[in-house]
Amino acid sequence: MSILLVSLLALAIAILHGGIGGAKLLYGLPAYSVIGAAAIACIFQSARKIGAGCRVGCVVVTMIVAGYLAVRSQLAPVEYLARHDFFMILGALGAYLISAVFLTDARYRLRLISVLFVFACLHMACGVVQFKEGKQY
């Protein structure tokens, strides 16, 4: 089950990086829905494995801050901009909770970090090519 969660989170990261970093809601929603699918998959996780290495204080503080930010985004004067912030908060909270509560084994977290490292290397390669050619894409 953990492989499925890591795969779904890696897919969400790939979608976000491919869709201009989720800068617009249209490009971010597919990634947020994949994170939501991963959260739904967590329902089927065995109760014995949940939170074995999880720090409860960190999760509580994260939930408080995310709740505050979600309420602030709902009270924002510009609804269109606030909607993007709200979905981004929910996506980030979902990804954090999945990695903090359900992916407590170091090898699964290492796989997720290696996916992030691969995307960082790809971004750096694109930046080097742009700098070398002097083109602004």
Side-chain angles (χ1 to χ4, degrees), residues 4-132:
L4 175 68
L5 294 177
V6 170
S7 301
L8 287 174
L9 285 179
L11 178 65
I13 291 168
I15 292 171
L16 277 175
H17 279 278
I20 64 173
K24 296 187 184 274
L25 184 59
L26 177 65
Y27 298 116
L29 276 178
Y32 303 149
S33 63
V34 171
I35 293 172
I40 290 172
C42 289
I43 294 172
F44 303 108
Q45 185 85 359
S46 149
R48 292 177 294 161
K49 295 182 180 180
I50 295 176
C54 177
R55 306 267 183 191
V56 177
C58 293
V59 173
V60 169
V61 170
T62 303
M63 295 292 284
I64 290 171
V65 171
Y68 169 74
L69 292 174
V71 168
R72 289 284 298 172
S73 72
Q74 293 301 313
L75 299 176
V78 181
E79 183 182 345
Y80 175 74
L81 297 174
R83 189 176 311 130
H84 177 257
D85 290 342
F86 181 71
F87 283 114
M88 185 173 47
I89 291 165
L90 289 181
L93 181 65
Y96 171 76
L97 289 176
I98 289 169
S99 63
V101 177
F102 295 100
L103 297 176
T104 56
D105 194 7
R107 63 184 156 156
Y108 297 121
R109 289 182 178 180
L110 187 60
R111 288 180 183 164
L112 198 57
I113 288 173
S114 49
V115 167
L116 289 171
F117 183 71
V118 165
F119 281 115
C121 289
L122 289 174
H123 278 265
M124 186 183 69
C126 291
V128 166
V129 168
Q130 286 179 355
F131 180 75
K132 183 181 174 189

